[in-house]
Amino acid sequence: MEHTERPEPLCAAELAAVRRSMTDGRLAMTRRSLLRAGGALAAVAGGMGALSACGIPPAGRTDAGSSDDHSRTEKRLNFSNWTEYMDVTDDGKHRPTLEKFTKRTGIAVNYTEDINDNDEFFGKIQAQLANGQDTGRDLIVLTDWMCARMISLGWIDELDPANLPHAYANLTAQFRSPAWDPGRAHSYPWTGVPAIIAYNKKATGGRTVDSVTQLLEDPKLKGRVGFLTEMRDSIGLTLLDMGKKPESFTADDFDAAIARLQKGVDSKQIRRFTGNDYTTDLDKGDLAACVAWAGDIVQLQSDNPDIAYAIPKAGYTTSTDNLMVPNKARHKQNAERLIDFFYEPKVAARIAAYINYVCPVDGVRDELAKIDKKLAANPLIIPDEKMAARSHSFRALNAKESKQFAQKFSTLTGA
């Protein structure tokens, strides 16, 4: 199959979004990673000069497909992931889950935390993929909208179901068939990342905050409301509150959501748009309520009993970070065996207990309860059917929409 889409250079607004995500985005500055962030961010910043100077250059078409798989003779694989996205011992010297996989299979895992942002990582590997070359990586983890882009370019291998019996059997219904990868032919979710509403009960006087309408219109919250600098989350929740679906909204719907948020900015109802740094303001009560990421709230609640959350009646958005095998991967079968390993409930429970985001594996609750009963009962980690049914995903954008929407959102947030 021939793929002719050409990735275009990032516009100024998209580049600004990359920088925000790298410095205070969803996964860049979790509380666990604060001590390690300085060195990582410096390394990433060093690579941003080329991106900001000329954008990501367009790539030619490719029909690269899979290379010969060397998994039978080379018992290893290279795995790229985000920071703080794998369980580790307290001394930071061991990764128990990966070590267990190696002990069982004899396959050594070269694990690298070199993904700090979707666009930035795309820039690292796109020239090799476009030219039909091995990226040096057998397994990568990217967010759903970037996965959709790479699959559409023909740069991701189809997975072999024969190597994924646990993954096929245990993937939860909520994540089984996204529009951008029907039937999960190319990907399996690493974790789900819900965007919900969080509030500080002391700051709200004990009142519940459970809708975007309340965030934008409640006079008692004026000047103490936060929205996220991640467009898909802030716009997605606003669209839902307006009765629109993030999966199928129009350009006019997007403009209406922007106008609604702009009104909140102009009236000073919204204090500011934030990255992950909202956690400090919410913890102190400087923000009474905000749009928030579920994993952060699980961690905040462990230290502050005043932190609460609500799932809006209109619904909430969930993005996914997904495991994929790039074209020309040298150890595809080894990578598939590792994906399948992650879908064993005991293994999934260990990872969920560490990262605190939605676990996409059925049957994990009992195993997680053996580690931590509170986490096993937390719907932000294991949603029940009612909560899962209220989850929505933000639709994939084409290149033109991506630039236009990013510019409008950038103007709104003052970025």
Side-chain angles (χ1 to χ4, degrees), residues 34 272 276-287 300:
L34 283 172
R272 66 189 184 104
N276 187 268
D277 53 326
Y278 71 85
T279 56
T280 299
D281 287 347
L282 183 65
D283 191 40
K284 294 190 299 184
D286 292 341
L287 283 178
L300 283 174

Side-chain angles (χ1 to χ4, degrees), residues 65-136:
S66 301
S67 63
D68 293 335
D69 194 343
H70 296 263
S71 294
R72 290 178 180 271
T73 56
E74 298 177 359
K75 296 298 182 181
R76 62 180 183 270
L77 69 95
N78 297 315
F79 181 9
S80 285
N81 204 348
W82 301 72
T83 59
E84 302 299 325
Y85 235 16
M86 183 68 69
D87 60 309
V88 64
T89 55
D90 290 341
D91 60 9
K93 295 181 179 180
H94 299 280
R95 300 191 182 281
T97 293
L98 295 180
E99 290 176 359
K100 181 178 180 180
F101 173 77
T102 298
K103 184 176 181 180
R104 180 194 296 183
T105 65
I107 299 170
V109 181
N110 176 28
Y111 184 77
T112 307
E113 294 180 333
D114 61 343
I115 302 178
N116 301 281
D117 173 86
N118 287 282
D119 280 310
E120 185 264 346
F121 186 74
F122 181 85
K124 286 183 181 180
I125 63 174
Q126 65 102 11
Q128 293 164 298
L129 289 168
N131 291 312
Q133 299 171 349
D134 179 10
T135 66

